[in-house]
Amino acid sequence: MAGAFGTAFTPFMAVSHSDTNGVFEPVSIEPFGPISLSPAAHVLHYGSECFEGLKAHRGKDDGIVRIYRLDAHIDRLVTTAKIMHLPCPSAEVIRQAIYDTVQANLDAIPAQPDSAYIRPMLFGTEANVGAAGHPSLSACFMVIISPVGEYFTSDTTLRIVVETNMLRTTPLFGRAKAGANYALALPPTMAAIEQYRADQVLFAPGGDIQETGASNFMVFHDNTLITPPLSDAFLHGVTRDSIITLARDKGLAIEERHLRVDELVAMAPHCEAALTGTAAIMAPVGTLIVHGEETQVGNGQPGEITMALRTQLRSIQQGLAPDTYNWLTPVTA
Ligand SMILES: *Cc1c(COP(=O)(O)O)cnc(C)c1O
């Protein structure tokens, strides 16, 4: 059994440093452990860090380890690196590095319901505290893996504060999976936890719903999935995309459109709401807190459609349902 999410690691990691021309050395698979970094490294001063989060699952019946939506996550890392002006290995190199890291750790990938959370990361290593106004000329790419348990306890729903003034991040960084965005979302999130015992903050600047600090938001209402349309303002979640695909298949109507806070509060008694992300897949929302006022979503319990879609995605990941969309990459010894 895995410990608290993200605190245990498998024996091997991947590492590749670039030179100051952004040319990366061949990826090496090494024992998991501390790395050496100049105290002047760009990332330690100017926040040049980004990452990905994806999972590998061991088949429930066949024991085969499969990486979930590898290419979608690689594309997003490459996009993020571009936004951050960080040197980045090619998509092919990243793909092979992730595959090889999972393969090296194959014996340590846990059985269901646990899984392996794969964390690729990229950060600026140029030793130059004078580079405040410049991108790092060099970078380090790594992949580490954490065995994780099921994130989810089926009878709990989340309490969500809807924040209509503050932004989660700047518009330019909305699509970047950057560590800095998490630092920016922390103060409003801590305030919501202290003031309302909330679990998360849903950012809705000017009343237009975007996402939480680490997950996308969707509503099921009247046999329709409603979720904000892709824009530069928020992270394009792979889980969001997966659930939209499965919901469409199930015959639900899909509305990718702007959703106002007032409209959400009005439909709350008759709808389901959920957060989507790799860690939890779908986490049902039971309570919305808007300007200090609480509104129950549905009957406050996990919604039926939410749970059905979550189960369906889980069965694809576990190799129990057909991989209709080619979402899985099997890793063999
Ligand atoms: C990672 C992340 C998500 C969820 O993306 P998935 O690809 O579904 O894991 C959503 N919002 C933010 C801000 C994120 O960092």
Side-chain angles (χ1 to χ4, degrees), residues 161 163 168-169 173-176 181-182 200-205 208-217 228 232-237 275-276:
V161 165
E163 167 60 53
R168 177 184 67 94
T169 177
F173 260 54
R175 276 189 75 177
N181 282 344
Y182 284 71
Q200 302 250 356
V201 173
L202 177 61
F203 291 89
D208 183 35
I209 289 166
Q210 292 176 344
E211 65 169 337
T212 76
S215 50
N216 296 121
F217 181 76
D232 287 347
F234 69 90
L235 214 272
H236 299 187
L275 306 183
T276 68

Side-chain angles (χ1 to χ4, degrees), residues 214-234:
S215 50
N216 296 121
F217 181 76
M218 57 178 62
V219 165
F220 299 98
H221 180 250
D222 203 9
N223 227 30
T224 304
L225 185 168
I226 306 168
T227 196
L230 293 179
S231 76
D232 287 347
F234 69 90

Side-chain angles (χ1 to χ4, degrees), residues 138-162:
S138 58
C140 177
F141 169 69
M142 298 185 68
V143 183
I144 59 174
I145 298 180
S146 175
V148 294
E150 184 90 285
Y151 208 76
F152 194 74
T153 44
S154 64
D155 53 349
T156 46
T157 53
L158 300 178
R159 289 168 58 80
I160 301 291
V161 165
V162 183

Side-chain angles (χ1 to χ4, degrees), residues 275-294:
L275 306 183
T276 68
T278 293
I281 304 180
M282 293 180 98
V285 175
T287 309
L288 298 166
I289 302 153
V290 183
H291 303 309
E293 215 164 289
E294 298 200 10

